[in-house]
Amino acid sequence: MSNVLAIIACPQRLAQGQLAAEALRKAAQQAGHQIAIEIRHAQSVQGRLDEAQLAAADAVIVIAEGDADTGRLHGRASHAANLDAVLANAGGVIAAALGTASTVASGSKLRIVAITSCPTGIAHTFMAAEGLSQAAANLGHDIKVETQGSVGSQNTLSAADIAAADLVIIAADTQVNLDRFTGKRLYSSGTKAAINDGIALVKRAQSDARPHQAAGGDAQPQAAAANPDSKNSERSAAYKHLMTGVSFMLPFVVTGGLLIALGFALGGIYVYEDAFKGTLGWTLFNIGAKASFALMVPVLAGYIAYSIADRPGIAPGMAGGMIAGSIGSGFLGGIVAGFIAGYAVKYLNEKIQLGRNFDGLKPVLILPLLGTTIVGLLMYYVLGQPVAAALGVVTDWLKGLQGSSALALGMILGGMMAFDMGGPINKAAYTFATGLLASQVYAPMAAVMAAGMTPPLGIALAALLFKNRFSADEREGAKAAGVLGISFITEGAIPFAAKDPLRVIPALVAGSALAGAISMAAGCELRVPHGGVFVLPIPNAVTNLGMYLVALVAGTVLTAVALGLVKKPAN
């Protein structure tokens, strides 16, 4: 039997506070716990807890939308929750509070739940999950990891899993919905921390996690769930918002690009003309170009805004993205519209206070209406045309690139793809190339995909040609890296670079820079932003296919030879 205390300070929701108190009493009785509850009204306190009760408590639950007088706790651990969470599952809140208390007190075996997610939802998502699973096992903890990948959520966390968890870890480069974890001790980081040193991440989460408070709560700022050690939190947040938009945009771009390529394959390069109207090729082209591709910028903008302001930001963001497409500002305009919509709605949500009875109007009426109006007026009258002009200059410059200029851009994009293999620099080059597809600029995409395939392919070839430079385990791992390489999953090279970064990374960058340079200089174009070698046989998906293969082979060979020269023989 445990001794539990609860402090409810919700002066604007007195009825819900009383119901929450009854729910906690009933749940505690069913679980065999003792509970005392203090309910703080605007002018009075019901069931005031004294110092002796607070000192003897095994766990303290704080449900605060007002002043809970938590200073009297003198820094002792408490469990933050909200009324909605208590009314939905009072027993889970009590269990979570007792789990938090025992964890803080003893540091014993933990029950951890985690979510991993990355923009493309392919490699980093599952590598981070593996890193967390291995780290928890090595530290003696139980863990269940939900992966939010390209095929949706797998190993999904149930309500029971979350209720029983002592700690929540979010290792994600995109925005993750945290509503399920209200009141739980939560720690957030990117996928890189889980991949590079999962044990350090779990230990850091153990010590630095904070109770997650739902948006709008006053007891604990939601930002406390984020990494408290980050000195660049705003920059990291902006990157995460952008990557959230990119992750939702990618399926539309990939699908649209493949359908356009199939349309060209069936009807030729002029399949979009009226002479082919009604044919299968014309139909597939229009599905890809006028349906899937047309949604690319609105989805990008909408989910950037969603990442910033949650669901109320989607409508203003998508409206801004539609305007960006209609006035010719393309993906740059979509990014601008997404951030404007997101921060405008977030600001309005914080400043507009209608009281509990009318707050329900904000997410479905007031915030979408005002947010859409603001972003629409700004895009039409202030920002849209300058951004469209800037995009036009960039587009014309890229289309006119020849000779040394194309070579230099290809080298830069290629080197970026290999430098951190799926990290921020890699994603910056990939996002740039993907966004240009909406402006019918296809050459950077070809260079980026060739350069992204080169690092793991070069490692696989090096392990075959220079066996003494790799251990037996590395040679086996290189085979898997080769498979990832032909699929355009650069992350297959990460384990090799992590072991010997000063030698491996320069070799990878050199090969990718060469592949990107040859691709750009030869005028190769790619209409599909993913798929690796599996999209190359599709007619018209790649222009100048012969030179594109030359670029891929040349980059792979240079990487392999460079690795053979710089790597020391394995012990």
Side-chain angles (χ1 to χ4, degrees):
M1 178 185 294
S2 298
N3 183 20
V4 181
L5 303 182
I7 302 172
I8 302 175
C10 302
Q12 302 301 319
R13 303 173 71 184
L14 296 179
Q16 291 94 329
Q18 294 287 352
L19 291 173
E22 291 304 315
L24 287 170
R25 287 192 182 96
K26 184 176 180 180
Q29 183 181 11
Q30 290 175 342
H33 303 311
Q34 290 182 343
I35 190 167
I37 302 174
E38 174 182 298
I39 303 176
R40 302 178 68 84
H41 305 297
Q43 304 297 331
S44 63
V45 179
Q46 175 184 335
R48 185 187 299 272
L49 300 173
D50 58 34
E51 293 290 335
Q53 287 176 297
L54 292 170
D58 296 310
V60 179
I61 301 170
V62 178
I63 306 159
E65 295 176 359
D67 180 19
D69 190 19
T70 54
R72 54 190 160 147
L73 298 179
H74 303 299
R76 69 160 291 166
S78 61
H79 181 80
N82 64 20
L83 285 179
D84 296 329
V86 173
L87 293 172
N89 185 4
V93 171
I94 292 174
L98 291 170
T100 299
S102 63
T103 297
V104 172
S106 65
S108 59
K109 182 177 181 179
L110 299 178
R111 293 163 294 183
I112 303 173
V113 295
I115 294 177
T116 62
S117 176
C118 71
T120 53
I122 299 175
H124 273 63
T125 297
F126 299 100
M127 293 170 71
E130 182 68 18
L132 286 175
S133 297
Q134 292 181 356
N138 290 336
L139 293 171
H141 304 314
D142 293 329
I143 190 169
K144 181 176 180 180
V145 185
E146 175 182 314
T147 54
Q148 296 186 358
S150 56
V151 294
S153 297
Q154 295 181 330
N155 201 31
T156 304
L157 301 175
S158 66
D161 294 327
I162 296 170
D166 303 308
L167 177 64
V168 180
I169 299 176
I170 308 296
D173 298 324
T174 61
Q175 192 73 8
V176 173
N177 190 328
L178 303 179
D179 292 348
R180 293 180 285 170
F181 306 113
T182 298
K184 307 298 293 187
R185 297 182 66 242
L186 186 146
Y187 184 87
S188 291
S189 78
T191 57
K192 188 176 181 180
I195 294 170
N196 291 348
D197 194 345
I199 290 177
L201 175 58
V202 173
K203 289 181 177 179
R204 193 160 61 247
Q206 236 180 304
S207 61
D208 295 348
R210 298 291 182 270
H212 173 66
Q213 184 72 18
D218 298 323
Q220 179 72 31
Q222 187 169 343
N227 185 351
D229 297 326
S230 175
K231 296 181 181 180
N232 303 303
S233 58
E234 287 300 320
R235 184 175 63 185
S236 301
Y239 171 77
K240 182 171 285 190
H241 301 324
L242 176 61
M243 289 300 103
T244 299
V246 170
S247 68
F248 280 96
M249 175 191 74
L250 277 178
F252 294 88
V253 185
V254 174
T255 301
L258 286 170
L259 287 170
I260 290 171
L262 288 171
F264 284 140
L266 294 174
I269 59 173
Y270 301 108
V271 69
Y272 52 84
E273 294 184 348
D274 288 342
F276 295 91
K277 189 173 183 178
T279 64
L280 180 59
W282 179 91
T283 304
L284 291 175
F285 176 88
N286 278 278
I287 294 172
K290 296 183 179 180
S292 189
F293 246 38
L295 289 169
M296 168 185 162
V297 174
V299 168
L300 171 67
Y303 280 96
I304 289 174
Y306 162 76
S307 180
I308 298 168
D310 215 326
R311 284 184 289 271
I314 292 180
M318 287 195 171
M322 287 292 291
I323 295 170
S326 68
I327 63 178
S329 59
F331 85 100
L332 289 180
I335 292 172
V336 171
F339 278 102
I340 291 174
Y343 284 114
V345 170
K346 183 178 180 182
Y347 176 81
L348 293 170
N349 190 28
E350 293 171 352
K351 296 301 180 182
I352 297 175
Q353 301 297 328
L354 301 176
R356 296 296 175 183
N357 293 330
F358 295 99
D359 267 353
L361 293 175
K362 286 167 59 176
V364 297
L365 174 61
I366 297 171
L367 295 178
L369 174 62
L370 294 179
T372 301
T373 302
I374 291 170
V375 73
L377 292 174
L378 287 173
M379 290 301 294
Y380 272 122
Y381 291 126
V382 182
L383 297 170
Q385 293 305 322
V387 174
L391 181 64
V393 170
V394 172
T395 300
D396 292 340
W397 175 69
L398 289 170
K399 288 183 176 179
L401 280 180
Q402 292 180 348
S404 59
S405 297
L407 198 74
L409 180 61
M411 289 181 65
I412 293 170
L413 290 175
M416 290 174 69
M417 289 299 293
F419 184 77
D420 57 0
M421 293 157 283
I425 295 175
N426 169 287
K427 287 296 186 291
Y430 182 71
T431 301
F432 171 74
T434 304
L436 288 170
L437 294 179
S439 301
Q440 291 79 51
V441 179
Y442 305 115
M445 190 70 251
V448 161
M449 191 160 88
M453 289 191 284
T454 297
L457 289 176
I459 287 172
L461 181 60
L464 183 65
L465 297 178
F466 307 102
K467 291 184 172 62
N468 67 327
R469 299 293 196 271
F470 299 86
S471 66
D473 288 342
E474 288 177 328
R475 290 196 295 272
E476 285 299 314
K479 296 176 183 178
V483 174
L484 295 175
I486 64 173
S487 305
F488 183 37
I489 300 176
T490 316
E491 289 87 343
I494 289 177
F496 299 88
K499 288 184 178 180
D500 193 5
L502 295 181
R503 293 184 177 86
V504 172
I505 291 178
L508 302 182
V509 170
S512 291
L514 178 62
I518 293 175
S519 175
M520 283 290 296
C524 301
E525 295 182 340
L526 177 67
R527 287 178 166 79
V528 187
H530 220 292
V533 300
F534 301 104
V535 302
L536 302 186
I538 300 174
N540 299 306
V542 183
T543 59
N544 203 355
L545 179 58
M547 284 304 299
Y548 192 66
L549 293 174
V550 168
L552 184 59
V553 171
T556 300
V557 171
L558 177 58
T559 296
V561 172
L563 288 171
L565 293 175
V566 300
K567 275 183 67 67
K568 293 182 177 181
N571 294 327

